[in-house]
Amino acid sequence: MEKTLSIVKPDGVEKRLVGEVIKRFEDNGLKVIGLKMVAMSKREAEGFYAVHRGKSFFESLTTFMSSGPAVVMVLEGDNAIERVRDLMGATDPQEAAKGTLRRQFGSNIERNVVHGSDGPDTAGFEIGYFFHALEIAR
Ligand code: CMP
């Protein structure tokens, strides 16, 4: 069983999409094994997106991610990382496939409603960034 981290970003929370996103994951074979709402500071958002430091969108992205509450969750399932990425769709909502979360609900490449880990190493880092071992169901 693989684990991945997903975030309902501040735009998704603002649009009341928390339940919709979780339902989409649960209906597609993923199990929620960790879940909470967080209010990231700018510093904390910068730490989470450290791999993107130096990129043109880093400042705007981390300001947005610290602009309001987000819901972070750990999901488990066969092929969880890829499965979540398929359900989210491409980063840019305009390029995302029909029926995906980002295509349906995203406003633009930054305000794209959800985040999902892009590989096993990032999933490990990202889960550890938000969750203590005791906060994950076993
Ligand atoms: P996410 O999956 O959370 O990972 C990094 C985020 O940076 C990405 O989704 C986008 O919301 C955001 N972003 C903003 N501009 C870009 C861009 N030009 N390329 C990639 N990601 C971008």
Side-chain angles (χ1 to χ4, degrees):
M1 285 292 212
E2 192 172 62
K3 292 183 181 60
T4 188
L5 181 99
S6 181
I7 305 179
V8 183
K9 297 185 179 188
D11 60 326
V13 173
E14 181 64 30
K15 290 177 175 169
R16 313 291 196 265
L17 292 170
V18 174
E20 175 76 31
V21 171
I22 293 174
K23 179 149 177 57
R24 198 70 64 94
F25 291 152
E26 289 187 333
D27 284 351
N28 284 277
L30 293 151
K31 184 177 174 185
V32 178
I33 60 167
L35 179 71
K36 61 185 166 186
M37 182 169 267
V38 296
M40 274 182 270
S41 66
K42 180 81 160 61
R43 248 332 140 68
E44 288 158 348
E46 288 170 1
F48 179 74
Y49 280 120
V51 293
H52 295 301
R53 192 179 285 280
K55 293 187 185 154
S56 59
F57 56 85
F58 183 72
E59 177 62 27
S60 176
L61 172 66
T62 52
T63 297
F64 163 58
M65 290 300 287
S66 56
S67 68
V71 171
V72 294
M73 69 192 90
V74 183
L75 299 160
E76 184 181 63
D78 288 332
N79 225 0
I81 295 172
E82 196 184 326
R83 201 178 281 215
V84 166
R85 294 180 69 76
D86 286 348
L87 293 167
M88 292 192 303
T91 309
D92 185 345
Q94 287 193 318
E95 287 167 15
K98 265 193 179 163
T100 60
L101 288 163
R102 284 167 168 167
R103 171 70 171 263
Q104 246 184 296
F105 303 115
S107 305
N108 56 51
I109 197 166
E110 181 175 279
R111 290 168 189 262
N112 62 357
V113 175
V114 277
H115 166 83
S117 308
D118 65 4
D121 291 350
T122 35
F125 166 77
E126 292 181 354
I127 291 168
Y129 197 79
F130 289 114
F131 290 88
H132 296 294
L134 284 173
E135 297 175 310
I136 299 173
R138 282 155 292 170

